[in-house]
Amino acid sequence: MSRTHQPDPELTHRLSRRGMLGVAAGATVAALLGTTATPATAAPATAATGRGRPVLPPGRLGIQLYSLRDKVSTLGFAPVFAELEKYGYDEVEFAGYTQGSAGPITLAQLKRLARDHGLTPIGSHVGYYSSDPNAYTFAQNLTKVLDDAQALGLKHIGTAAGPFRYGMTVDAMKRAAEEFNTYGAAAKARGMKFYQHNHSEEFSFATDNPKVRLYDVLLRETDPRLVYLEMDIFWAYVAQFRFSKRPDGTPAPFEPLDYVLKRPDRYPLFHVKDGESDPSNPFGYRMVDVGDGDIDYQKFISAVTRLKGHRLAHHWQAEHDNPTESFTFARRSSEHLHSLREKC
């Protein structure tokens, strides 16, 4: 399903204020990118149609830099951040602090670079565990992981690894939850929140008790004061497709949004990733650019941000695992999300 992307007048105003600061940087990026920069910047901004308050809260649009790893590795962080600034992004979530970046960069330089382009580093994905005792993971090098996150000024530090270190039984999930509580306590002591990012398997059923959904165990066994969740909305809907029946075929329906509405304080971060419904696909969806799929982000984001006290309590990170053209993905995602309006 293809949808029209219409720029938001608030975004247009904000970008015009940033414009003078970004002229030199933009020229540098254009020189580096050549003709690839043209489609991303040539379209003039026009007023968005529709009424109602913008669904996307101000200052809360981010992007997971994994989506732009090809550009970071060839151009470096500075040109990538300059493009994100032009597209109206407010925040970035890291997937490593080099990502094969063109040339060496320190954490202090990375923090300053983001700030210079009006971007707030909001979180980072780090490995959960490894058989290598020197690995850069929570289990092997917790102090170093937290030192680096603190140096970047991150408010959140987490992992995109599944909680399956000890298997997929109820007790295995309890053991992982206990370790997550440890990481969460250490992060909290430094003024940060530890979080786990889901894929679809977290919503599957325990191998030793097929009536129990593993995600429910994780929620129950982790301390809500110490462990937070970053819902990847795409993968949650994939899980709905895959795991709405138990292994014996009995119904076990669930709605991803309901998890958030029941526990909004546990979900400070979201991955906004879109999918086009495809029942012939084992995942039920094909990943597409945000706005080109069938996930109703007008409904989802609005439902969360309309909760009392939650308008600015969450951070929305656009992502695509393998975009056809990553800058185009970033631009179109921002345009679409800024164009969404609450229903009157």
Side-chain angles (χ1 to χ4, degrees), residues 10-343:
E10 292 184 12
L11 173 62
T12 302
H13 175 69
R14 183 149 52 90
L15 294 183
S16 68
R17 289 191 295 134
R18 287 182 176 182
M20 292 305 295
L21 295 174
V23 168
T28 301
V29 173
L32 285 167
L33 300 181
T35 56
T36 62
T38 304
T41 58
T46 57
T49 59
R51 296 182 295 177
R53 182 175 66 166
V55 166
L56 190 71
R60 289 296 183 268
L61 178 62
I63 192 166
Q64 166 51 255
L65 290 171
Y66 181 76
S67 304
L68 296 156
R69 60 194 181 280
D70 62 322
K71 296 298 193 293
V72 173
S73 66
T74 55
L75 302 173
F77 280 104
V80 170
F81 286 173
E83 288 294 287
L84 294 177
E85 180 182 20
K86 289 195 294 180
Y87 301 159
Y89 283 93
D90 309 294
E91 301 172 337
V92 289
E93 182 184 33
F94 291 99
Y97 306 130
T98 60
Q99 293 188 239
S101 174
I105 189 167
T106 66
L107 294 177
Q109 290 172 327
L110 194 54
K111 181 180 180 181
R112 184 168 59 250
L113 207 64
R115 181 195 62 203
D116 290 347
H117 290 289
L119 300 168
T120 300
I122 194 64
S124 180
H125 285 184
V126 177
Y128 168 18
Y129 67 94
S130 172
S131 59
D132 178 0
N134 298 313
Y136 189 78
T137 64
F138 283 96
Q140 277 67 44
N141 275 294
L142 178 60
T143 299
K144 174 61 174 172
V145 167
L146 296 180
D147 284 347
D148 289 350
Q150 202 164 22
L152 276 169
L154 299 181
K155 300 289 186 183
H156 310 84
I157 180 69
T159 184
F164 309 122
R165 180 179 188 179
Y166 304 106
M168 301 181 74
T169 65
V170 172
D171 283 343
M173 197 60 47
K174 288 181 178 180
R175 290 181 67 186
E178 185 178 354
E179 291 185 340
F180 284 5
N181 287 334
T182 299
Y183 309 151
K188 184 178 181 179
R190 301 199 190 201
M192 293 179 284
K193 292 180 178 179
F194 169 81
Y195 64 96
Q196 193 264 346
H197 162 285
N198 66 275
H199 291 86
S200 63
E201 287 76 12
E202 284 87 340
F203 294 88
S204 64
F205 300 94
T207 54
D208 61 334
N209 188 343
K211 293 183 178 180
V212 175
R213 195 180 300 278
L214 292 173
Y215 197 69
D216 295 338
V217 180
L218 183 67
L219 281 168
R220 185 176 65 247
E221 297 294 329
T222 49
D223 188 332
R225 299 165 299 178
L226 302 176
V227 177
Y228 298 85
L229 291 308
E230 176 180 60
M231 179 174 279
D232 186 304
I233 300 168
F234 170 85
W235 287 117
Y237 278 103
V238 167
Q240 184 188 57
F241 174 84
R242 296 181 65 195
F243 303 117
S244 283
K245 291 183 179 180
R246 297 183 180 88
D248 65 1
T250 57
F254 73 94
E255 169 55 52
L257 179 58
D258 288 345
Y259 274 97
V260 181
L261 298 183
K262 290 176 182 177
R263 311 164 184 83
D265 293 335
R266 299 208 69 180
Y267 293 90
L269 304 170
F270 293 90
H271 273 190
V272 180
K273 186 186 298 181
D274 214 344
E276 188 172 40
S277 180
D278 180 6
S280 67
N281 186 304
F283 292 136
Y285 291 89
R286 289 185 297 103
M287 198 177 295
V288 296
D289 288 356
V290 178
D292 286 345
D294 297 311
I295 297 176
D296 189 345
Y297 278 111
Q298 189 278 338
K299 174 185 175 182
F300 196 104
I301 299 175
S302 182
V304 176
T305 58
R306 291 175 91 166
L307 295 171
K308 186 177 181 180
H310 283 269
R311 175 71 174 161
L312 297 174
H314 308 273
H315 305 265
W316 306 89
Q317 318 294 311
E319 187 186 32
H320 191 310
D321 291 357
N322 292 291
T324 301
E325 207 294 311
S326 56
F327 277 150
T328 300
F329 156 75
R331 173 182 57 82
R332 295 181 73 239
S333 297
S334 175
E335 288 176 357
H336 176 72
L337 292 169
H338 278 102
S339 76
L340 296 177
R341 292 293 182 272
E342 291 183 353
K343 294 179 180 177

